[in-house]
Amino acid sequence: MSDVKLLIAIPAYNEATRIDLVVRECLKVSPDVIVIDDGSTDSTGQYAAQAGAHVLRHTINRDLGGALQTAFAYARESDADVLVTIDGDGQFSPGDIPRLIAPIVAGDADVVFGSRFLQENQVPFKRRLGNIVANIVTWFLFGAHVSDTQSGFRAFHRAAFATMILHTNGMEISSEIVQEVWNRKLRIAEVPVSVTYDAYTGAKGQGFRRGLRTLGALILRRMT
Amino acid sequence: MIIQILITLFVLFALSRVVIRFRAGEMTPRECLFWFFFWVVVGGVGVYPNVASWLAIALGVGRGADAIVYVALLAIFYILFRIFTRIERIERNITALVREIALRDARHGHDHEQAKK
């Protein structure tokens, strides 16, 4: 693994209370950690930089999809072999990254999805239900299926992030990634990852209204 | 009839807005032509309702008023779709711009670090 150049990208919007810890944990795995500060109104960017991350600042908030597109663009310009994306709220454990990228390092996969549902995790019912709906919608609209389409914890080999073209700005990027991977016939692996939901991480992510907006955006994307 | 006067006044108002927006450079000649033609047709149907009856007969719909409602609904849905897709395109362009600024700043920061070394 030591000869694999790993870039860890953390999209973050107003994560000042958590970003410091996430960055420090990621730096234990790789020296190349970037935070895409997505127009935060708190000190997310400042704390991330102090913790040792390289910070890319969005002047205005572009949402998760916009932040991930920036991560992909940065990775393409870098000399990284593998790109890992992980949420900035600390719900995923950076300690799982070696396990996540193992199928890529072994040459068995181009893209690895960290799945919250392949091992015993305390995932709130609302999240489980949301993911089931998102999986069905992704399969119905794009004909693609993985067990955890909405996971923010993924790994991409250069063969993937150098060729994938992403357009969507919001949470629908998660389904778009699955679609892109599927359409380009990239080799997929799913790895069980641990996830921690507390009051903070539970409040993040998609609520019902946000979910409906994402659904609308996905249908529009399918039509256009 | 009062309704015909009201429709005519509204169409004249809409046409004046089209001309003002075109003169202000907010519309392309093609868009100006489209909207000018659109409001002229609306005015024509308002002043000569018989046109709607011919349309109804041609489309196999019972009454002229029904034909207008069907056509108007189709037009509204199409315009809505166009607006949605245009907003989506603008959103993507803004994201591309924000991304380019972030990457450019990151490259400059990197250059500064290299210079310090």
Side-chain angles (χ1 to χ4, degrees), chain A residues 171-207:
Chain A
M171 294 281 188
E172 63 273 20
I173 188 94
S174 299
S175 295
E176 190 186 20
I177 285 173
V178 178
Q179 181 203 12
E180 266 290 291
V181 169
W182 210 264
N183 286 351
R184 290 180 185 278
K185 299 188 168 47
L186 294 164
R187 293 170 303 158
I188 297 173
E190 290 192 86
V191 167
V193 292
S194 54
V195 65
T196 311
Y197 284 107
D198 53 24
Y200 182 80
T201 53
K204 294 257 172 182
Q206 298 196 71

Side-chain angles (χ1 to χ4, degrees), chain B residues 10 47 49 57 89 106 108 114:
Chain B
F10 183 78
V47 175
I57 292 163
R89 199 166 64 228
H108 277 260
Q114 292 290 321

Side-chain angles (χ1 to χ4, degrees), chain A residues 66-85:
Chain A
L68 284 176
Q69 287 180 53
T70 299
F72 270 62
Y74 183 90
R76 278 193 283 270
E77 288 186 7
S78 76
D79 56 354
D81 301 311
V82 178
L83 166 69
V84 164
T85 62

